[in-house]
Amino acid sequence: MRIFKGCVIVACASVVAFAMTPANAFDGTPDADSAAAPLAVVTAPSGVAVVRKTVTAPAAANNNSLSALQYAAEDGHAIAQWKLGKMFADGGGVERDDLRAFDYFSRIANQHAEDSPGAPQANIVANAFVALGRYYATGIANTRVKRDPERAREMLSYAASYFGSAEAQYSLARMYLDGKGIQRDVKYGVRWLGLAAHKGQHEAQALLGQMLFNGDHLQRQAARGLMWLTLAQESATPSEKWIHQSYNEALAKASEDDRAMALQMLQRWVQGRRD
């Protein structure tokens, strides 16, 4: 099945079919570790010296793990396809190859687009659509995958609407707010941003908090903005400096009343999550 063929059409998602020819998951060529393996002289039971390649235990283990994933992916296992896609996308244990990552994510989307949002692998399927959307948003240099903002929007819309993916909702919000490649729509962007923030997506929380605190395209609500920024900075990584900077700036500018009210909102938020 190709992506979106016969899919359920959901509100807010413009879904179109597209055909892709994935690259072979394993082309039979020797890997770098094997090709560079040292030669060793061993003595066979017959007493004849034999020269053979030796492979270190870690390299052999890594090769076995990769081969196992590749065979499972060929059999259509979505988890194996996802892990391989992430490995090639991040360069984790293999040479980075965005096109191969794209092809693995495409297999998941093609085979599981109509899976129930409640299915065990639904999160993997949604993340595959998000990955495809982000690839289409920028394109992959020197490959058949060209920049296509409209197709990126379709991928993200499907994951955001049908699977309810917070990552997709945040990425879709940014597309509408930034207006890169599509018509800018602040109202629609804020809607998706709010959905993602309430699901705990910290980047969405940070951006929504920033907008509320500064009154950027929204009515200014300093206390509520500070609440979202506080939640976001607690989950942000050290490399996400813009989130920490936004929080520190808001905290410095906030009045005592704003801080007290933000604290009350945080307590209600935490209690609501527990309930």
Side-chain angles (χ1 to χ4, degrees), residues 112-124:
H112 300 279
E114 295 179 8
D115 285 6
S116 166
Q121 72 275 10
N123 191 50
I124 288 175

Side-chain angles (χ1 to χ4, degrees), residues 202-203 205-207 227-236 243:
H202 70 278
E203 293 168 291
Q205 292 173 338
L207 185 56
M227 179 207 75
W228 284 121
L229 283 167
T230 302
L231 286 169
Q233 68 91 26
E234 290 176 353
S235 300
I243 295 179

Side-chain angles (χ1 to χ4, degrees), residues 170 201-203 232-233 235-246:
Y170 170 67
Q201 214 285 347
H202 70 278
E203 293 168 291
Q233 68 91 26
S235 300
T237 64
S239 63
E240 293 175 308
K241 295 180 180 179
W242 71 275
I243 295 179
H244 298 290
Q245 183 177 347
S246 294

